Amino acid sequence: MERYSVQIDTFQGPLDLLLHLIQQAEVDIYNIPVAEITEQYLHYVQTMQELELDIASEYLVMAATLLEIKSQMLLPGEEDPGEDAFVEEEDPRQELMSRLVEYKKYKEAAVELREKEQEGAGRYAKGSSMDEEAIEEKYAAAVPENLSLFDMLDAYQKLKERVRYHTPKETKIKGGEVTIEDRMTSILSFLEDKQNGITFIELFPSGERSHMVVSFLAVLELMKHKQITCVQEENFEEIMVYQTEEELVGE
């Protein structure tokens, strides 16, 4: 498969990924389980590299920072020669926790401002040939901010686990490669008569790694160009995929 770099607006940075992992693990931001979060963070970075996403160097810097904090927390405390008790040392997580708290504060403020903007501007253009109420009902939850790239990576990782456990040990090797452009076309064609949408996993009929990677990158490109909408009603639930309003109107 040729190298293909994908950039998407919801890919916001390493602090965003850390907040996602903390939310997923349901842990206190002031008491981060560094070993667990570091392992999961590295897993995400490895997945992004596997998919050949355009990873900024800051992701690798954060990975190094997490590994350094993890190693510091594994070291025993230094005992004061003149005292029986251990010297109280600064928590090596402190600086990172402060950055996360500050980032979370500004992110929540940005979301609140965006919601107020949407209330005044509305979400859909007037003059559509489709019934506007029907469109709003179907796509009310399809706001880009409700679904990040990290949620998509979650779904991809779960898909890989499912394929690993259900793929037979003996498989037939199929020749030929499918390009991302071809896969984008086939996905749109598949969605044409699916008015109620499909689940994310239905886009991956093949368990072949190359086909899975191409399909995932095709989904990201279609999202980027607003040709499809991916909706997740609740955190970590099944992702639903719909053709966007513009695509449906143009048929």
Side-chain angles (χ1 to χ4, degrees):
M1 184 184 69
E2 61 177 318
R3 294 188 62 85
Y4 196 91
S5 176
V6 175
Q7 295 179 326
I8 193 167
D9 294 340
T10 51
F11 201 173
Q12 295 178 352
L15 289 176
D16 214 44
L17 174 53
L18 284 177
L19 282 178
H20 175 82
L21 294 175
I22 290 169
Q23 179 187 27
Q24 189 177 50
E26 298 181 343
V27 296
D28 186 353
I29 196 171
Y30 291 100
N31 189 25
I32 304 170
V34 175
E36 177 185 345
I37 295 298
T38 299
E39 181 179 354
Q40 293 176 4
Y41 182 94
L42 293 175
H43 189 195
Y44 271 80
V45 171
Q46 181 181 6
T47 301
M48 288 186 279
Q49 290 175 329
E50 174 187 325
L51 292 167
E52 298 185 2
L53 298 179
D54 187 15
I55 306 176
S57 59
E58 58 184 331
Y59 280 87
L60 303 180
V61 171
M62 179 60 75
T65 300
L66 288 170
L67 289 171
E68 181 181 6
I69 294 173
K70 178 182 176 182
S71 64
Q72 288 177 358
M73 295 191 69
L74 291 174
L75 294 174
E78 294 183 6
E79 189 174 357
D80 187 343
E83 299 288 343
D84 293 333
F86 284 95
V87 176
E88 185 177 349
E89 297 180 356
E90 183 180 352
D91 190 331
R93 300 171 296 180
Q94 185 60 50
E95 182 181 351
L96 178 59
M97 289 188 295
S98 298
R99 291 173 60 191
L100 280 169
V101 170
E102 193 72 10
Y103 179 80
K104 185 172 183 288
K105 182 193 306 180
Y106 284 107
K107 182 177 179 180
E108 290 173 348
V111 170
E112 185 176 345
L113 290 173
R114 192 179 298 116
E115 288 174 351
K116 289 182 179 179
E117 180 185 8
Q118 288 176 346
E119 287 175 8
R123 294 179 185 168
Y124 301 103
K126 301 295 182 182
S128 169
S129 60
M130 296 183 67
D131 181 77
E132 290 187 17
E133 290 185 2
I135 294 173
E136 176 124 11
E137 182 178 355
K138 175 183 281 189
Y139 297 100
V143 195
E145 291 79 10
N146 285 353
L147 190 69
S148 71
L149 178 61
F150 308 130
D151 294 310
M152 300 298 293
L153 289 174
D154 275 337
Y156 179 77
Q157 289 174 348
K158 290 175 183 176
L159 177 67
K160 286 205 305 179
E161 288 297 315
R162 186 178 302 189
V163 168
R164 183 194 306 174
Y165 288 112
H166 291 85
T167 302
K169 294 183 179 179
E170 294 184 4
T171 58
K172 294 182 178 179
I173 305 299
K174 298 180 180 179
E177 290 186 350
V178 179
T179 66
I180 292 176
E181 290 80 5
D182 289 342
R183 190 69 185 110
M184 289 168 65
T185 300
S186 64
I187 288 173
L188 289 177
S189 176
F190 184 54
L191 283 168
E192 280 183 2
D193 59 347
K194 304 294 191 302
Q195 297 300 314
N196 294 323
I198 61 173
T199 62
F200 175 77
I201 198 169
E202 290 180 76
L203 295 176
F204 299 84
S206 171
E208 294 181 26
R209 178 183 175 278
S210 60
H211 188 276
M212 289 173 61
V213 170
V214 168
S215 296
F216 186 81
L217 294 177
V219 168
L220 293 186
E221 277 296 302
L222 289 169
M223 289 176 65
K224 177 181 177 181
H225 295 292
K226 303 187 186 304
Q227 293 177 280
I228 65 172
T229 299
C230 294
V231 180
Q232 188 178 48
E233 297 294 341
E234 299 291 341
N235 285 336
F236 318 124
E237 281 191 356
E238 184 73 73
I239 293 175
M240 296 298 297
V241 183
Y242 303 93
Q243 210 169 2
T244 58
E245 174 190 347
E246 290 79 5
E247 286 292 316
L248 290 170
V249 171
E251 291 178 359

